[in-house]
Amino acid sequence: MTEDYKEDNLISRTETYLNEIVVHDLEKSIEVLCASASLLPNAEDVGVVSRCIDAIALNASKEQLVSGLARLECDVGSKKLKMGCQDWWVEDLSALRVDLYQRVISAMRKTGVRSDSIIASLIHYAQNSLKGVGSENSHPGTIIEDEQRTIIIETLVGLLATENITSIPSSFLFGMLRIAIRLDASLRCRLELERRIGFQLDMVSLDDLLIPSLKTGECFFDVDTVHRILVNFLRRIEEKGDDDDSHGEYESDERDSPSHGSILKVGRLIEGYLAEIATDPYLKVQKFIAFIELLPDYSRVVEDGLYRAIDIYLKAHPSMTDSETKKLCKLIDCQKLSQQAASHAAHNDRLPVQMALRVLHFEQIRLKEALSGNPVVAGDVSLSQPVSPRDNYASLRRENRELKLEIARLRARLSDLEKDQLSMKQGMLREKSDHRKAFSSSLSKGIRRITRKKSSWGQTCNA
């Protein structure tokens, strides 16, 4: 095949084909690289693999620069044109073996291919190569298949870790995390996915957090994984707050910080998650309390969601000790309960008596404040936005109706207490009168016996 045998032999023709056609054509480069996978390591030794990888990365970068104008035109064009403006090579790269794909992505990153294109390629490659893995209806694969899939997901997550972009679909990250748990991937792989999810926890849904546990005899849901995700989120918020303080941009308290909105969203999300896992009979109270204590107090403006989750947990775990119940209920701030939740808590037999008394105490304070003209609303947050007179009037009417209902409810409760007190007094009076009657009757009987004995004794003496 060399020139020693004949001029323009196979090697020279191959070199000409690679230099003049393959290297300058992105699609041809991908085709040759796919074919080279079955010829390793010979294809690597003669330099075909490295030349194809460099050609793919360089051509992809050039194509993105050239198509920049076309993308702008697609933004004002039809939907059909918009689909044509996508990077077509994203699908073609999915045919590569994972080790070659890893080298292609690394080369693309060096040549300046956009991060969003690389992320799109990673997502498409994962969907192609890991289809069906981790779903509820998936069948367990062979040991060799699971090992190959484990290598694929660990490689993809390793590539993902080098990208600074945070706008990755949360559904994709959770899907990858479920697969990593299902395949028992490396701890580093799972922690990286948890860290990525923690960056955007305020944008995930409740269904995403309900990760089933694969361990028998333990919780139905993977509570530890969600706990670590929440820790990552709070760590990011704390680091962001430190950066803001160092730059002197925000001098207000935590409630007015730009991250407070995200914390409120996550607070509501975790409340919903706690209500979902509260029915799990295997969920230990220590883990349940750890979730509640992890979030800061200002993440919950109103405690109704937390109260509902704790009430569900108490109902599903009737064998809890009094000390555990008291420790759990102490986490509820009774001042942040709405009127409806406070009314329910005051009559809830599952709660400790001390909490019911606290709720009634704060209800009395709220009623006194309302009667004095300064109504206190649970979770009231001062807002700086101007309020229109119509909205202000509607708010006052709503508060007036709520106060009337609260006063009527408290009056009815006071009337019931007075009736109970009156019936108790009447019962005590009846008991006293019955005791007096019994004492007087026994005394009169005794006097009559003494009188009879005296008369009989006198008759005996006279005789």
Side-chain angles (χ1 to χ4, degrees):
M1 293 186 293
T2 63
E3 297 300 302
D4 297 336
Y5 179 76
K6 185 181 179 181
E7 292 184 2
D8 197 19
N9 207 347
L10 183 58
I11 290 181
S12 62
R13 290 184 182 183
T14 304
E15 288 288 341
T16 303
Y17 176 74
L18 290 174
N19 293 330
E20 296 182 2
I21 297 178
V22 174
V23 173
H24 300 287
D25 190 282
L26 181 55
E27 187 175 5
K28 291 293 183 181
S29 301
I30 297 174
E31 290 178 0
V32 172
L33 185 58
C34 289
S36 300
S38 60
L39 301 175
L40 295 174
N42 296 327
E44 186 74 63
D45 294 338
V46 298
V48 175
V49 174
S50 58
R51 290 167 69 179
C52 288
I53 290 173
D54 294 339
I56 292 171
L58 186 60
N59 288 324
S61 178
K62 289 180 179 179
E63 187 170 301
Q64 283 197 342
L65 292 174
V66 174
S67 63
L69 183 59
R71 287 178 179 273
L72 295 176
E73 294 176 355
C74 288
D75 291 338
V76 295
S78 62
K79 293 182 179 179
K80 185 176 181 180
L81 286 176
K82 287 183 179 181
M83 292 301 296
C85 291
Q86 301 298 326
D87 295 317
W88 58 266
W89 48 262
V90 166
E91 296 184 6
D92 288 11
L93 289 181
S94 300
L96 292 173
R97 214 169 67 175
V98 66
D99 54 341
L100 298 177
Y101 176 78
Q102 181 183 19
R103 293 172 61 181
V104 169
I105 294 298
S106 300
M108 281 185 171
R109 190 179 294 113
K110 292 178 181 178
T111 56
V113 176
R114 291 192 308 270
S115 292
D116 57 343
S117 298
I118 293 177
I119 293 297
S121 178
L122 289 171
I123 294 174
H124 195 275
Y125 192 94
Q127 292 173 346
N128 236 26
S129 56
L130 301 172
K131 186 180 297 182
V133 184
S135 62
E136 296 180 358
N137 300 324
S138 63
H139 300 286
T142 63
I143 297 176
I144 298 177
E145 289 176 346
D146 285 347
E147 287 179 354
Q148 291 175 347
R149 290 166 176 170
T150 303
I151 294 173
I152 290 173
I153 191 170
E154 289 178 354
T155 302
L156 295 179
V157 173
L159 291 172
L160 194 66
T162 58
E163 294 295 328
N164 295 324
I165 190 170
T166 57
S167 59
I168 305 173
S170 59
S171 58
F172 168 72
L173 292 174
F174 274 103
M176 293 285 283
L177 181 58
R178 290 170 187 259
I179 295 173
I181 296 172
R182 160 71 177 78
L183 297 175
D184 195 19
S186 64
L187 180 62
R188 181 179 180 180
C189 172
R190 284 177 284 176
L191 292 179
E192 175 59 28
L193 287 170
E194 292 170 6
R195 186 182 71 88
R196 283 281 176 176
I197 294 172
F199 283 169
Q200 51 194 56
L201 185 59
D202 53 332
M203 295 184 288
V204 308
S205 64
L206 178 58
D207 292 336
D208 291 330
L209 294 179
L210 299 176
I211 304 172
S213 177
L214 300 179
K215 298 179 181 179
T216 57
E218 295 190 7
C219 299
F220 294 154
F221 299 101
D222 196 340
V223 180
D224 296 331
T225 296
V226 179
H227 188 273
R228 289 193 297 269
I229 291 173
L230 181 58
V231 170
N232 282 312
F233 168 78
L234 294 175
R235 189 177 299 158
R236 181 181 69 87
I237 292 295
E238 184 178 354
E239 291 174 355
K240 187 176 180 181
D242 293 340
D243 292 340
D244 293 341
D245 293 339
S246 63
H247 288 87
E249 294 178 2
Y250 303 102
E251 299 179 355
S252 57
D253 58 3
E254 291 173 321
R255 186 180 294 276
D256 297 327
S257 66
S259 302
H260 186 234
S262 299
I263 295 180
L264 289 178
K265 289 181 181 179
V266 173
R268 291 191 293 269
L269 178 67
I270 295 301
E271 285 177 350
Y273 179 74
L274 290 173
E276 288 291 333
I277 65 174
T279 57
D280 188 349
Y282 298 104
L283 179 61
K284 302 297 183 181
V285 66
Q286 292 81 6
K287 288 188 177 182
F288 195 74
I289 291 175
F291 263 103
I292 303 173
E293 292 179 339
L294 194 58
L295 281 173
D297 293 336
Y298 60 88
S299 65
R300 297 185 298 273
V301 178
V302 181
E303 300 267 333
D304 290 12
L306 179 60
Y307 166 70
R308 175 174 172 268
I310 291 178
D311 186 41
I312 294 173
Y313 188 86
L314 293 175
K315 186 176 181 180
H317 299 78
S319 60
M320 287 179 59
T321 62
D322 293 339
S323 60
E324 291 175 340
T325 304
K326 291 179 182 178
K327 185 177 180 180
L328 184 59
C329 292
K330 280 182 180 179
L331 300 175
I332 302 175
D333 188 354
C334 298
Q335 299 184 73
K336 292 184 179 181
L337 291 176
S338 66
Q339 293 181 358
Q340 184 178 2
S343 176
H344 186 277
H347 300 85
N348 194 343
D349 297 334
R350 289 184 288 271
L351 302 181
V353 179
Q354 293 86 345
M355 181 176 175
L357 293 176
R358 287 203 309 269
V359 171
L360 292 174
H361 172 68
F362 288 119
E363 277 192 326
Q364 286 183 345
I365 294 177
R366 184 185 299 172
L367 180 60
K368 289 180 181 179
E369 293 290 337
L371 293 176
S372 64
N374 298 316
V376 177
V377 182
D380 186 23
V381 181
S382 59
L383 301 176
S384 59
Q385 299 93 325
V387 181
S388 65
R390 180 181 298 177
D391 294 338
N392 193 17
Y393 177 70
S395 176
L396 290 174
R397 289 187 60 185
R398 183 173 60 255
E399 291 178 2
N400 189 25
R401 287 196 300 268
E402 292 176 354
L403 289 174
K404 286 182 179 180
L405 291 173
E406 182 70 12
I407 293 172
R409 190 181 64 79
L410 290 177
R411 283 178 177 174
R413 183 170 178 79
L414 182 60
S415 177
D416 293 338
L417 291 174
E418 289 177 349
K419 289 180 182 179
D420 293 340
Q421 185 180 9
L422 181 61
S423 62
M424 290 175 62
K425 286 183 179 180
Q426 291 176 352
M428 293 174 63
L429 291 175
R430 281 197 296 269
E431 289 180 358
K432 288 182 179 180
S433 61
D434 293 341
H435 180 71
R436 287 175 181 175
K437 288 180 181 179
F439 177 76
S440 60
S441 62
S442 62
L443 184 63
S444 60
K445 288 180 181 180
I447 293 174
R448 284 198 296 271
R449 289 197 191 99
I450 294 172
T451 305
R452 289 173 185 170
K453 288 181 179 180
K454 283 184 178 181
S455 60
S456 60
W457 181 75
Q459 293 175 358
T460 304
C461 290
N462 292 331

